[in-house]
Amino acid sequence: SQTIHQWPATLVQPVGSPLSLECTVEGTSNPNLYWYRQAAGRGLQLLFYSVGIGQISSEVPQNLSASRPQDRQFILSSKKLLLSDSGFYLCAWRIRVNSSPLHFGNGTRLTVT
Amino acid sequence: SQELEQSPQSLIVQEGKNLTINCTSSKTLYGLYWYKQKYGEGLIFLMMLQKGGEEKSHEKITAKLDEKKQQSSLHITASQPSHAGIYLCGADNTDKLIFGTGTRLQVFP
């Protein structure tokens, strides 16, 4: 069966420090991968998605970047964190067919101080 | 761009009561998903609807997609404390999945 791992679960970082959040998927090949951010405990904002190694689509211009160095690995990064980067970050995957559900990781709670 | 609006934003019901959450899209829905989230956790997939008029059920939760494929409803029968959480609808948009703003459900004894 497929599983998704996302870490760390919580992170407290000072303003101006770098960020690296990692997400890996097991049990499937060639998944589509996604990073979302959730603020105020409500709706999800799509940040980045990837349909293949090295292929990254950015949805919202901001202080973050994403990379996909391997088929089942998706990394969210920042060189210098801002206070506004605080939030709940969720990684997700789905198989590459039309109309298939996303499967989410447990999320990372990031607090920038 | 496509937008999903959910109503109500929050709901407080007594255990045993029925409730309905709505999701309205600004464009035709080609794949509509319902998820549940407990605070501080990832989203759990509940159901997916694709065809106009389609209805699916899982335990005490039923979801419907209207004939015009622009609105979906999620109905919970005889609510329980375990149903509490945030319910989100999501819609296919090419390779992406966009989400509504969510409905926070509280169930009290």
Side-chain angles (χ1 to χ4, degrees):
Chain A
S1 63
Q2 303 92 352
T3 56
I4 180 169
H5 302 279
Q6 188 181 342
W7 68 92
T10 60
L11 193 58
V12 180
Q13 292 284 99
V15 168
S17 64
L19 173 74
S20 180
L21 301 181
E22 190 163 341
C23 173
T24 59
V25 180
E26 296 179 357
T28 188
S29 297
N30 304 314
N32 284 359
L33 297 171
Y34 303 80
W35 278 112
Y36 286 87
R37 179 168 61 197
Q38 187 177 34
R42 284 297 187 87
L44 300 180
Q45 179 186 36
L46 178 61
L47 301 176
F48 303 94
Y49 68 97
S50 170
V51 298
I53 296 175
Q55 298 179 57
I56 308 294
S57 296
S58 174
E59 287 296 296
V60 183
Q62 55 201 322
N63 188 39
L64 301 169
S65 62
S67 62
R68 184 171 177 172
Q70 300 180 39
D71 181 44
R72 292 169 291 172
Q73 184 184 29
F74 206 22
I75 298 172
L76 183 69
S77 304
S78 174
K79 292 182 179 179
K80 289 185 178 181
L81 284 168
L82 306 172
L83 287 174
S84 58
D85 291 324
S86 294
F88 191 53
Y89 290 82
L90 288 156
C91 179
W93 74 273
R94 69 172 172 181
I95 59 174
R96 290 188 194 172
V97 295
N98 290 334
S99 296
S100 62
L102 285 182
H103 303 280
F104 285 83
N106 289 328
T108 296
R109 173 76 57 191
L110 172 65
T111 303
V112 183
T113 60
Chain B
S1 62
Q2 186 175 19
E3 293 184 353
L4 297 177
E5 185 174 334
Q6 284 185 240
S7 63
Q9 289 187 344
S10 76
L11 202 50
I12 304 174
V13 301
Q14 188 174 27
E15 184 176 358
K17 298 294 185 183
N18 302 336
L19 63 105
T20 299
I21 298 169
N22 294 303
C23 175
T24 303
S25 173
S26 58
K27 296 184 179 181
T28 301
L29 293 162
Y30 293 101
L32 187 285
Y33 307 80
W34 282 101
Y35 286 84
K36 178 188 174 185
Q37 182 185 30
K38 292 193 174 181
Y39 180 75
E41 298 181 9
L43 278 67
I44 303 299
F45 170 67
L46 296 175
M47 280 171 277
M48 178 178 76
L49 304 166
Q50 288 182 271
K51 301 176 183 177
E54 187 175 8
E55 179 176 323
K56 287 187 177 179
S57 294
H58 176 67
E59 298 179 343
K60 294 185 178 180
I61 301 176
T62 300
K64 300 178 184 179
L65 182 61
D66 74 341
E67 290 289 346
K68 294 183 179 180
K69 295 175 65 173
Q70 281 201 271
Q71 188 169 44
S72 178
S73 60
L74 185 83
H75 184 78
I76 298 178
T77 303
S79 58
Q80 301 169 355
S82 60
H83 288 127
I86 298 173
Y87 289 82
L88 297 107
C89 62
D92 273 321
N93 188 310
T94 57
D95 288 319
K96 304 175 290 187
L97 206 138
I98 62 168
F99 285 88
T101 50
T103 296
R104 184 181 297 274
L105 172 64
Q106 295 174 264
V107 181
F108 65 93

